[in-house]
Coordinates of all heavy atoms in Angstrom, one line a residue:
V1345 N 3.3 -32.6 -24.4 CA 3.6 -32.2 -23.1 C 3.8 -30.7 -23.2 O 4.2 -30.1 -24.2 CB 4.9 -32.8 -22.6 CG1 4.8 -34.3 -22.5 CG2 6.1 -32.5 -23.5
G1346 N 3.4 -30.0 -22.1 CA 3.5 -28.5 -22.1 C 2.8 -27.9 -20.9 O 2.3 -28.5 -20.0
V1347 N 2.9 -26.6 -20.9 CA 2.4 -25.8 -19.8 C 1.6 -24.6 -20.4 O 1.7 -24.3 -21.6 CB 3.5 -25.3 -18.9 CG1 4.2 -26.4 -18.2 CG2 4.5 -24.4 -19.7
N1348 N 0.8 -23.9 -19.5 CA 0.0 -22.8 -19.9 C 0.9 -21.5 -19.9 O 1.9 -21.4 -19.3 CB -1.1 -22.6 -18.9 CG -2.0 -23.8 -18.8 OD1 -2.2 -24.6 -19.8 ND2 -2.6 -24.1 -17.6
H1349 N 0.4 -20.6 -20.7 CA 1.0 -19.2 -20.8 C -0.1 -18.3 -20.4 O -1.3 -18.6 -20.5 CB 1.5 -19.0 -22.2 CG 2.3 -17.7 -22.3 ND1 1.6 -16.5 -22.8 CD2 3.5 -17.3 -22.1 CE1 2.5 -15.6 -22.8 NE2 3.7 -16.0 -22.5
R1350 N 0.2 -17.0 -20.0 CA -0.8 -16.1 -19.7 C -1.8 -15.8 -20.9 O -2.9 -15.4 -20.7 CB -0.2 -14.8 -19.2 CG 0.6 -14.0 -20.2 CD 1.2 -12.7 -19.6 NE 2.1 -12.1 -20.5 CZ 3.4 -12.3 -20.5 NH1 3.9 -13.2 -19.7 NH2 4.2 -11.7 -21.4
S1351 N -1.3 -16.1 -22.1 CA -2.1 -15.9 -23.3 C -3.1 -17.0 -23.5 O -4.1 -16.8 -24.3 CB -1.2 -15.7 -24.5 OG -0.5 -14.5 -24.3
G1352 N -2.9 -18.2 -22.9 CA -3.8 -19.3 -23.2 C -3.2 -20.6 -22.7 O -2.1 -20.7 -22.1
K1353 N -4.0 -21.7 -22.9 CA -3.7 -23.0 -22.4 C -2.8 -23.8 -23.3 O -2.9 -23.8 -24.5 CB -5.1 -23.7 -22.2 CG -4.9 -25.1 -21.6 CD -6.3 -25.7 -21.4 CE -6.2 -27.2 -20.9 NZ -5.7 -27.3 -19.6
N1354 N -1.7 -24.4 -22.6 CA -0.8 -25.3 -23.3 C -0.1 -24.6 -24.5 O 0.1 -25.3 -25.5 CB -1.5 -26.6 -23.8 CG -2.0 -27.4 -22.6 OD1 -1.4 -27.4 -21.5 ND2 -3.0 -28.2 -22.8
L1355 N 0.3 -23.4 -24.4 CA 0.9 -22.7 -25.5 C 2.4 -22.9 -25.5 O 3.1 -22.5 -26.5 CB 0.6 -21.2 -25.5 CG -0.9 -20.8 -25.7 CD1 -1.1 -19.3 -25.7 CD2 -1.4 -21.5 -27.0
L1356 N 3.0 -23.4 -24.4 CA 4.4 -23.7 -24.4 C 4.6 -25.2 -24.2 O 4.0 -25.8 -23.3 CB 5.1 -23.0 -23.2 CG 5.0 -21.5 -23.1 CD1 5.6 -21.0 -21.8 CD2 5.6 -20.8 -24.3
G1357 N 5.3 -25.9 -25.1 CA 5.4 -27.3 -25.0 C 6.2 -28.0 -26.1 O 6.9 -27.3 -26.9
A1358 N 6.1 -29.3 -26.2 CA 6.8 -30.1 -27.2 C 6.0 -31.4 -27.4 O 5.1 -31.7 -26.7 CB 8.2 -30.4 -26.6
F1359 N 6.5 -32.1 -28.4 CA 6.1 -33.5 -28.6 C 7.2 -34.3 -28.1 O 8.3 -34.3 -28.7 CB 5.8 -33.7 -30.1 CG 4.5 -33.1 -30.6 CD1 4.6 -31.9 -31.2 CD2 3.3 -33.8 -30.5 CE1 3.4 -31.3 -31.7 CE2 2.1 -33.2 -31.0 CZ 2.2 -31.9 -31.6
H1360 N 6.9 -35.1 -27.1 CA 8.0 -36.0 -26.5 C 7.3 -37.2 -26.0 O 6.6 -37.2 -24.9 CB 8.7 -35.2 -25.3 CG 9.8 -36.0 -24.8 ND1 10.9 -36.4 -25.5 CD2 10.1 -36.4 -23.5 CE1 11.8 -37.0 -24.8 NE2 11.3 -37.1 -23.5
Q1361 N 7.4 -38.3 -26.7 CA 6.6 -39.5 -26.4 C 7.2 -40.2 -25.1 O 8.4 -40.2 -24.9 CB 6.7 -40.5 -27.6 CG 6.1 -40.0 -28.8 CD 4.5 -39.9 -28.7 OE1 3.9 -40.5 -27.8 NE2 3.9 -39.2 -29.7
P1362 N 6.4 -40.8 -24.3 CA 6.9 -41.5 -23.2 C 7.5 -42.8 -23.6 O 7.3 -43.3 -24.8 CB 5.6 -41.8 -22.3 CG 4.5 -41.8 -23.4 CD 4.9 -40.8 -24.4
A1363 N 8.3 -43.4 -22.8 CA 8.9 -44.7 -23.1 C 8.0 -45.8 -22.7 O 8.2 -47.0 -23.1 CB 10.3 -44.8 -22.5
L1364 N 7.1 -45.5 -21.8 CA 6.2 -46.5 -21.2 C 5.1 -45.8 -20.5 O 5.3 -44.7 -19.9 CB 7.0 -47.4 -20.2 CG 6.2 -48.4 -19.4 CD1 5.7 -49.6 -20.3 CD2 7.1 -49.0 -18.2
V1365 N 3.9 -46.4 -20.5 CA 2.8 -45.9 -19.7 C 2.3 -47.0 -18.8 O 2.1 -48.1 -19.2 CB 1.6 -45.4 -20.6 CG1 0.4 -45.0 -19.7 CG2 2.0 -44.3 -21.5
W1366 N 2.2 -46.7 -17.5 CA 1.9 -47.7 -16.5 C 0.6 -47.3 -15.8 O 0.6 -46.4 -15.0 CB 3.0 -47.9 -15.5 CG 2.9 -49.2 -14.7 CD1 2.4 -49.4 -13.5 CD2 3.5 -50.4 -15.2 NE1 2.5 -50.8 -13.2 CE2 3.2 -51.4 -14.2 CE3 4.1 -50.8 -16.4 CZ2 3.5 -52.7 -14.3 CZ3 4.5 -52.2 -16.5 CH2 4.2 -53.1 -15.5
A1367 N -0.5 -47.9 -16.2 CA -1.9 -47.6 -15.8 C -2.3 -48.6 -14.7 O -2.8 -49.6 -15.0 CB -2.8 -47.5 -16.9
D1368 N -2.1 -48.2 -13.5 CA -2.5 -49.0 -12.3 C -3.8 -48.5 -11.8 O -3.9 -47.4 -11.2 CB -1.5 -49.0 -11.2 CG -1.8 -49.9 -10.0 OD1 -3.0 -50.3 -9.9 OD2 -0.9 -50.2 -9.3
L1369 N -4.9 -49.2 -12.1 CA -6.3 -48.7 -11.7 C -6.4 -48.5 -10.2 O -7.3 -47.6 -9.9 CB -7.3 -49.7 -12.2 CG -7.4 -49.9 -13.7 CD1 -8.3 -51.0 -14.1 CD2 -7.9 -48.6 -14.4
S1370 N -5.7 -49.1 -9.4 CA -5.8 -48.9 -8.0 C -5.4 -47.5 -7.6 O -5.8 -47.0 -6.5 CB -5.0 -50.0 -7.2 OG -3.6 -49.7 -7.3

Side-chain angles (χ1 to χ4, degrees):
V1345 298
V1347 294
N1348 302 328
H1349 184 268
R1350 62 179 176 272
S1351 296
K1353 185 176 171 69
N1354 293 334
L1355 296 184
L1356 303 176
F1359 287 94
H1360 186 60
Q1361 297 291 342
L1364 175 69
V1365 176
W1366 200 264
D1368 183 340
L1369 294 171
S1370 70

